[in-house]
Amino acid sequence: MFAIINGTLLTMSGPPIFQGTVLVEQGKIIQVGQNLPLAGRVDVIDAAGKLVLPGLIDAHSHVGIAEEVYQIEGDDTNETTAPVTAHLRAIDAVNPADLGFQDALAGGVTTVVTGPGSANVIAGEMVTMKTYGAVVDDMVIRFPAGLKCALGENPKRVYGSHNKMPATRMATAALLRQTLVEAQNYLAKQEKARAEKTVPERSLQMEALLRVLKREVPLRVHAHRADDIMTAVRIAREFNVELIVEHCTEGHLIAPVLADAGVKAVVGPIITNRAKVELMNRSLETAMALYKSGVPFALMTDHPVVPIQYLSLSAGLAVKGGLPEEEALKAITINAAKLLGIDHRVGSLQPGKDADIIIVDRPIFDPNHRVERVFVGGRQVIGN
């Protein structure tokens, strides 16, 4: 058991607690408050003059899959041999030894979503995991965390350049629809087999899609341009699936529409240039526009596009674009956890949650801030 005392607690579940205490036992937060009695054998960490907050959450990255050092050997981001690969699982490609995990911890990021890239119309299943550990299976919080799909420039560039489908946006949408219809047909066959008490033939591709059709996991669609975002909305409505728009670069242009559609978004990367045509209207004001319209959103680095340790800096730039500081902090803590369906475990300093805690010397939107200590599951992994 240990206690972090005298710090300013940014719990993300209520107002700041000044000179507060967080009590941790067996990897869980057991008490949060002021003037808590510390009876018995309790190790004490004095955080006077510091800020204490939950570990940060990067809601979209490729950490562990796109290793920076090993450009070929360690890059398992895109399976560019077929446009539909729903049966691929990110969990099978993550290397816990990727230096990106060390960078994440140094930046106070204790939870990430990682997964395949956006070359394919349907790329595979993503995973939500802690950033500390030696074995992937022990780091997982939620798997699958969603089925990654992509619209826009990437699939048509990758396959169209080889004279394969999809070479147009129409074909990309058609492939996604066709595959979802195939999954509906597969589900009907499965139900018929169960009714007839026979053993149906399995398809790993279809099983991944069934999890989406049954709304067990969201369809997480890479889309930058407003028209591509609306294609994702259209298809989600047709098949009654939960939709999370990844990147949502032009979301500020259609924010009220997205709110009416009940769409969620993961915005970013923010620290980037107009590297391709569909980023032409990138703006620091996207997060603010979504917030004003009531669209639930989180922020991302898209690591290694933006190094994962710059997640807080990315949120700070969203503040520069008009997003209130509290909302920017929520977008990388509790609101990110809610969007990912893991807020019962992480995202705030509350009793019963994992003791994923960071201690910083000043507000994290200050580029000079220093992450002094990081705890993951109650274990100190940064600091001494």
Side-chain angles (χ1 to χ4, degrees):
M1 182 185 295
F2 70 89
I4 302 170
I5 66 171
N6 294 329
T8 297
L9 310 184
L10 304 181
T11 66
M12 307 316 301
S13 61
I17 299 175
F18 300 100
Q19 293 185 311
T21 298
V22 181
L23 194 59
V24 175
E25 185 175 25
Q26 295 183 345
K28 297 288 185 180
I29 297 170
I30 59 172
Q31 278 187 287
V32 177
Q34 285 182 319
N35 303 315
L36 299 181
L38 302 179
R41 298 177 59 185
V42 179
D43 294 326
V44 174
I45 297 169
D46 191 346
K50 315 294 183 184
L51 298 175
V52 182
L53 58 156
L56 308 182
I57 301 170
D58 190 336
H60 175 117
S61 76
H62 307 286
V63 64
I65 293 178
E67 299 180 55
E68 298 168 85
V69 176
Y70 304 104
Q71 292 296 302
I72 297 175
E73 300 88 344
D75 185 359
D76 292 297
T77 315
N78 289 298
E79 179 61 45
T80 56
T81 57
V84 175
T85 55
H87 55 315
L88 302 189
R89 300 176 177 182
I91 197 170
D92 296 323
V94 174
N95 178 9
D98 179 13
L99 296 176
F101 286 111
Q102 296 179 30
D103 293 338
L105 292 169
V109 180
T110 57
T111 297
V112 295
V113 174
T114 191
S118 52
N120 290 356
V121 179
I122 304 177
E125 294 182 311
M126 307 171 83
V127 59
T128 304
M129 59 189 296
K130 299 293 183 76
T131 55
Y132 178 81
V135 177
V136 173
D137 305 73
D138 297 335
M139 301 163 71
V140 170
I141 301 175
R142 183 185 181 190
F143 178 78
L147 184 63
K148 175 69 178 295
C149 301
L151 300 174
E153 293 179 15
N154 289 6
K156 59 179 282 187
R157 182 186 69 249
V158 171
Y159 293 97
S161 63
H162 293 91
N163 201 30
K164 294 180 179 179
M165 187 175 184
T168 64
R169 281 179 162 82
M170 293 181 293
T172 302
L175 275 175
L176 179 52
R177 280 193 180 90
Q178 176 183 324
T179 309
L180 287 168
V181 168
E182 290 171 0
Q184 288 177 327
N185 293 338
Y186 178 81
L187 176 60
K189 291 178 181 178
Q190 295 285 306
E191 291 173 344
K192 181 181 179 181
R194 279 193 292 270
E196 295 175 349
K197 296 183 180 180
T198 59
V199 180
E201 183 177 340
R202 291 187 62 187
S203 165
L204 295 180
Q205 286 253 34
M206 294 298 107
E207 288 177 9
L209 286 150
L210 286 192
R211 287 187 274 273
V212 172
L213 290 178
K214 293 179 178 180
R215 299 180 69 91
E216 295 172 0
V217 301
L219 192 68
R220 301 189 57 159
V221 181
H222 163 113
H224 288 286
R225 228 166 65 175
D227 57 340
D228 292 323
I229 295 170
M230 290 311 302
T231 296
V233 171
R234 191 178 307 115
I235 292 173
R237 281 175 172 163
E238 290 173 21
F239 292 91
N240 189 31
V241 300
E242 180 186 356
L243 173 64
I244 298 178
V245 177
E246 310 288 308
H247 304 298
C248 204
T249 302
E250 291 189 356
H252 57 285
L253 302 180
I254 52 172
V257 178
L258 299 181
D260 290 343
V263 172
K264 302 173 185 176
V266 181
V267 178
I270 294 173
I271 309 172
T272 188
N273 64 359
R274 299 177 182 89
K276 50 187 177 178
V277 174
E278 61 188 5
L279 298 181
M280 179 175 62
N281 290 314
R282 61 171 298 278
S283 171
L284 294 181
E285 298 177 3
T286 301
M288 178 56 176
L290 296 178
Y291 167 65
K292 286 177 65 177
S293 294
V295 177
F297 70 94
L299 299 177
M300 67 154 92
T301 62
D302 203 16
H303 176 93
V305 177
V306 172
I308 196 167
Q309 63 267 36
Y310 299 145
L311 178 62
S312 58
L313 181 58
S314 299
L317 288 174
V319 173
K320 184 177 180 179
L323 187 66
E325 287 193 9
E326 182 179 2
E327 295 303 319
L329 188 54
K330 286 180 179 179
I332 54 175
T333 55
I334 187 59
N335 284 355
K338 290 177 179 178
L339 184 145
L340 300 172
I342 56 172
D343 54 304
H344 61 293
R345 287 192 56 182
V346 297
S348 61
L349 302 179
Q350 291 180 274
K353 291 196 176 184
D354 296 359
D356 294 357
I357 303 168
I358 64 175
I359 301 176
V360 297
D361 65 345
R362 66 192 75 187
I364 65 168
F365 299 140
D366 183 334
N368 294 315
H369 82 270
R370 181 169 174 265
V371 179
E372 297 189 345
R373 295 179 189 253
V374 178
F375 301 84
V376 179
R379 179 172 182 170
Q380 183 166 311
V381 297
I382 296 286
N384 50 40

